Amino acid sequence: MSVIAQEAAARSERSAALLGVALGVAFTICFVTGVLSHLIQDPPGWFAWPSRPAGAYRVNQGLHVLTGMAAIPLLLAKVWVVHPKLFERPMVRSLAHGAERLALLPLVGGSVLLLVTGLGNVNIWRPWPFSFRDGHYAAAWVVMGALVIHVAAKGAVTLGHLARRAAPAPPSDGGLDRRGFLAAVAGASTLVVVLSAGQTVWPLRAFTVLAPRRTDIGPQGFPVNRTAASVGLTTVDLDAYRLVVDGPGVRRPLSLTYHELRALPQREAEVPIACVEGWSASPQWRGVPVRDLLDRAGAREGCALRVVSIQESSRLREAEVDAGQVGERDLLLALEVNGEVLDPDHGFPARLIGPNRPGVQQTKWVGRIEVT
Ligand code: HEM
């Protein structure tokens, strides 16, 4: 078989169908995990995220980023396989055919936007003029809508290809046949995952080439996204520092110095820290249980919290803790990590840490807990 004929076979409808199924699965996983992450960060009234299992957010976001990265070779291969069809004439054969072709624009354009912004975001490279979360979220809905139209148009053909056994491949004369091509694409996706997963799966950390962070590299043995220097907090005046617990939900507002916080009974817990950007680690934290602070302040049953940082230069300066998570015994105002006083980059003098919360909600440099 000539190389040209093998290329044609590789670009066969069967290749397009198999790659389409793989992409459909990958995009569905990304969509479900992405929308879940969105709901956790901006919960509507009907949504509550539990504090157990402690590592569920870590799995969700690790899966999101790894599946998204695995989709990149799949999308490139799919576009390569089907691109000759884009130049077929007549361009539009019927109204339905026209609608199906029109849906390709948001499908392909939106997919490229999702993969590029997603990859840029985890590498802290955001040259676009819009908010990452808003753009990525809107693109996800557009792509999934266009995907539904695409599946409706191509579902029957795809199922037909999946149901039939593939025709035996003719002997190769050195070029890449369809099976070889698909195996190479699957290999590329697998390699992308293996070379990135070390940012959250510690046995693979030695192979972390494609992800910018490793579970074990950073001050006190794990990574940092926002440093103390980036928010102007490399030194904190401990004489002036107070942890205030107040708000309409308490009977006895508290104002505690750092030394008073250290003198309170402390609790130790291994709680994962899982960044929205896909990396995660499992440090050992030590600090004052938030539940104890609330008891001292006479907080009402069923209260919720707004935890506020002393840094004022980042949008991440406050986070909510809903009523369901407030009773969690491992929700700590952490003062130490991995046996040492918190590094400024990890939130010295005190940071919030709670099981199953996204990293952006584990507020650093905490100065106030408002009880509502
Ligand atoms: C290379 C591929 C991708 C990477 C690296 C990636 C990365 C990310 C990251 C880091 C976030 C968290 C953003 C934040 O909360 O600050 C996120 C959120 C999200 N992603 Fe992706 N993503 C990728 C592909 C996709 C795909 C293919 C879809 C949908 C089919 C998708 C849908 C979403 C959604 C819905 C969110 C929630 C956005 C929000 O919180 O408003 N992502 N993604």
Side-chain angles (χ1 to χ4, degrees):
M1 193 185 191
S2 74
V3 172
I4 293 173
Q6 283 168 27
E7 268 200 7
R11 285 182 184 160
S12 72
E13 280 196 341
R14 190 175 167 83
S15 302
L18 290 171
L19 287 167
V21 170
L23 268 172
V25 171
F27 273 39
T28 304
I29 293 175
C30 279
F31 185 67
V32 172
T33 50
V35 169
L36 191 56
S37 174
H38 179 86
L39 291 173
I40 295 164
Q41 290 180 69
D42 298 315
W46 53 267
F47 181 85
W49 180 241
S51 57
R52 301 283 162 173
Y57 186 77
R58 170 184 213 175
V59 173
N60 186 79
Q61 214 50 20
L63 197 61
H64 181 88
V65 170
L66 289 178
T67 312
M69 290 177 72
I72 294 174
L74 297 177
L75 185 69
L76 291 175
K78 171 94 185 186
V79 171
W80 181 78
V81 166
V82 299
H83 83 269
K85 283 186 173 289
L86 295 176
F87 304 104
E88 276 176 7
R89 294 292 179 269
M91 276 186 72
V92 177
R93 290 198 298 271
S94 65
L95 204 61
H97 182 239
E100 177 218 320
R101 296 209 93 183
L102 207 60
L104 292 177
L105 265 179
L107 183 60
V108 179
S111 301
V112 171
L113 186 76
L114 277 173
L115 300 180
V116 169
T117 54
L119 204 58
N121 191 54
V122 293
N123 287 286
I124 319 200
W125 176 75
R126 304 175 184 112
W128 47 81
F130 50 87
S131 132
F132 165 77
R133 284 190 67 210
D134 293 349
H136 197 75
Y137 187 64
W141 283 96
V142 170
V143 166
M144 293 313 278
L147 191 59
V148 170
I149 298 176
H150 191 65
V151 170
K154 300 290 185 194
V157 181
T158 305
L159 284 179
H161 280 295
L162 295 183
R164 273 196 299 279
R165 279 176 67 86
S172 166
D173 61 1
L176 204 59
D177 62 9
R178 180 174 45 74
R179 285 223 173 105
F181 169 72
L182 291 177
V185 176
S189 279
T190 309
L191 200 63
V192 166
V193 171
V194 170
L195 297 181
S196 317
Q199 67 171 343
T200 182
V201 181
W202 68 263
L204 289 176
R205 63 190 176 205
F207 306 106
T208 317
V209 176
L210 295 180
R213 300 176 200 81
R214 251 174 66 159
T215 52
D216 58 336
I217 295 185
Q220 299 176 317
F222 64 102
V224 167
N225 270 22
R226 188 159 295 278
T227 60
S230 74
V231 295
L233 268 184
T234 37
T235 53
V236 173
D237 177 1
L238 279 192
D239 292 333
Y241 173 81
R242 295 290 180 277
L243 183 269
V244 172
V245 182
D246 64 0
V250 299
R251 286 196 307 276
R252 297 179 295 276
L254 306 177
S255 175
L256 300 167
T257 66
Y258 179 68
H259 299 290
E260 285 169 333
L261 279 174
R262 289 206 69 103
L264 291 176
Q266 311 278 309
R267 178 177 172 86
E268 259 189 55
E270 186 182 311
V271 176
I273 178 138
C275 180
V276 291
E277 283 145 21
W279 66 261
S280 61
S282 279
Q284 187 76 17
W285 305 93
R286 188 165 190 274
V288 185
V290 170
R291 191 64 263 174
D292 291 1
L293 290 170
L294 297 179
D295 288 346
R296 278 173 187 270
R300 66 173 183 83
E301 273 308 306
C303 62
L305 313 177
R306 194 167 70 93
V307 180
V308 187
S309 176
I310 54 177
Q311 64 93 0
E312 290 176 357
S313 55
S314 149
R315 72 174 173 89
L316 303 180
R317 69 178 301 261
E318 53 181 65
E320 314 281 328
V321 180
D322 70 24
Q325 291 191 5
V326 166
E328 165 62 49
R329 63 188 187 287
D330 287 342
L331 183 72
L332 303 179
L333 187 70
L335 307 176
E336 294 182 15
V337 67
N338 290 338
E340 294 172 5
V341 168
L342 284 179
D343 185 277
D345 285 345
H346 287 312
F348 176 83
R351 84 172 295 168
L352 184 73
I353 191 81
N356 209 19
R357 292 172 61 78
V360 286
Q361 293 182 341
Q362 312 275 33
T363 309
K364 299 201 255 194
W365 313 289
V366 172
R368 180 165 177 235
I369 299 177
E370 187 192 341
V371 185
T372 55

